[in-house]
Amino acid sequence: GAVVSQHPSRVICKSGTSVKIECRSLDFQATTMFWYRQFPKKSLMLMATSNEGSKATYEQGVEKDKFLINHASLTLSTLTVTSAHPEDSSFYICSATQNRGGAYNEQFFGPGTRLTVL
Amino acid sequence: GENVEQHPSTLSVQEGDSAVIKCTYSDSASNYFPWYKQELGKGPQLIIDIRSNVGEKKDQRIAVTLNKTAKHFSLHITETQPEDSAVYFCASTGFQKLVFGTGTRLLVSP
């Protein structure tokens, strides 16, 4: 159980185009989803937190107009990188959690999406 | 906000040896400390976690210890195998948001 998928796994796009990445919880309803960014040989950095049906909360320094996040259902969140540039090339990872009360609910991570902007 | 430091950045061991990775955190309110294994090109996988009301937890060859007073926690892998080679991340959280350490690249040589 607790499987999270991402699509696509890899994407190459031209500079100036927009790219959408999907994150799905396959066997549970995700009340909260998180989007991370990871540069080569670096750690995971949280970009934003999204709760189903509400606007995402972005971390400091993350442009909300650049990285559009939609969490329209309890099993799907999307990240759209708008007007992508080479510096947006990175490994994007989502995670999902089910609110069961308590101080912390385990995050289940997706396999990641490798974005390359030419 | 929370800051998590992790050492060493790289660790090379011989198969069968033990490996220890250490992390320190800054926020005394943090109460959950997971460890993740990330293989090349994949997302992180939870391997073990510990909560603040426990000092040690073990799962077969993997163990984690927590010292809340000193605000540090460690991952111990015994009888290492080549398939343990990966990048390991510690993390901490006080409320939902995970803060990750900088990662340790573990190489287990046959």
Side-chain angles (χ1 to χ4, degrees):
Chain A
V3 178
V4 176
S5 70
Q6 282 185 240
H7 178 81
S9 58
R10 289 176 175 269
V11 57
I12 300 173
C13 70
K14 293 182 179 180
S15 186
T17 61
S18 295
V19 174
K20 180 183 286 188
I21 302 170
E22 293 186 348
C23 176
R24 293 181 185 273
S25 57
L26 300 185
D27 51 4
F28 68 101
Q29 293 186 323
T31 47
T32 304
M33 287 185 169
F34 302 85
W35 286 96
Y36 295 85
R37 183 174 182 175
Q38 185 178 32
F39 290 109
K41 298 186 178 180
K42 297 293 184 182
S43 188
L44 283 77
M45 299 300 295
L46 180 65
M47 298 175 66
T49 302
S50 74
N51 293 295
E52 184 265 340
S54 61
K55 290 184 178 180
T57 302
Y58 290 81
E59 294 299 301
Q60 190 173 9
V62 178
E63 300 175 59
K64 61 180 181 180
D65 295 330
K66 171 78 171 175
F67 299 99
L68 301 179
I69 292 173
N70 184 282
H71 191 165
S73 78
L74 285 172
T75 60
L76 173 65
S77 176
T78 60
L79 167 68
T80 301
V81 183
T82 62
S83 187
H85 291 284
E87 57 265 31
D88 298 323
S89 298
S90 189
F91 194 49
Y92 292 88
I93 307 170
C94 73
S95 70
T97 186
Q98 186 177 34
N99 187 2
R100 295 182 177 179
Y104 180 77
N105 301 298
E106 182 180 348
Q107 292 185 29
F108 301 98
F109 285 84
T113 296
R114 172 79 56 196
L115 170 63
T116 303
V117 185
L118 303 177
Chain B
E2 173 71 293
N3 182 50
V4 179
E5 296 187 358
Q6 184 172 345
H7 299 281
S9 56
T10 58
L11 180 59
S12 294
V13 300
Q14 291 293 122
E15 182 176 2
D17 288 349
S18 295
V20 180
I21 303 171
K22 299 181 179 181
C23 287
T24 60
Y25 61 99
S26 61
D27 189 350
S28 57
S30 293
N31 56 18
Y32 176 71
F33 308 91
W35 285 88
Y36 294 89
K37 177 183 181 181
Q38 186 178 30
E39 297 179 338
L40 188 63
K42 297 184 178 180
Q45 295 294 315
L46 179 70
I47 57 172
I48 196 167
D49 56 13
I50 191 167
R51 297 188 184 273
S52 59
N53 58 348
V54 176
E56 183 174 357
K57 183 177 179 180
K58 188 174 182 180
D59 183 4
Q60 299 183 346
R61 297 187 296 109
I62 296 172
V64 56
T65 58
L66 171 65
N67 183 327
K68 282 214 71 178
T69 302
K71 288 191 275 189
H72 64 71
F73 56 113
S74 300
L75 177 70
H76 304 253
I77 305 174
T78 58
E79 301 173 30
T80 54
Q81 301 167 2
E83 50 265 38
D84 293 331
S85 297
V87 179
Y88 292 81
F89 291 98
C90 63
S92 76
T93 182
F95 186 72
Q96 301 302 332
K97 292 201 297 185
L98 286 173
V99 177
F100 284 83
T102 49
T104 296
R105 186 171 300 276
L106 175 65
L107 176 61
V108 181
S109 302

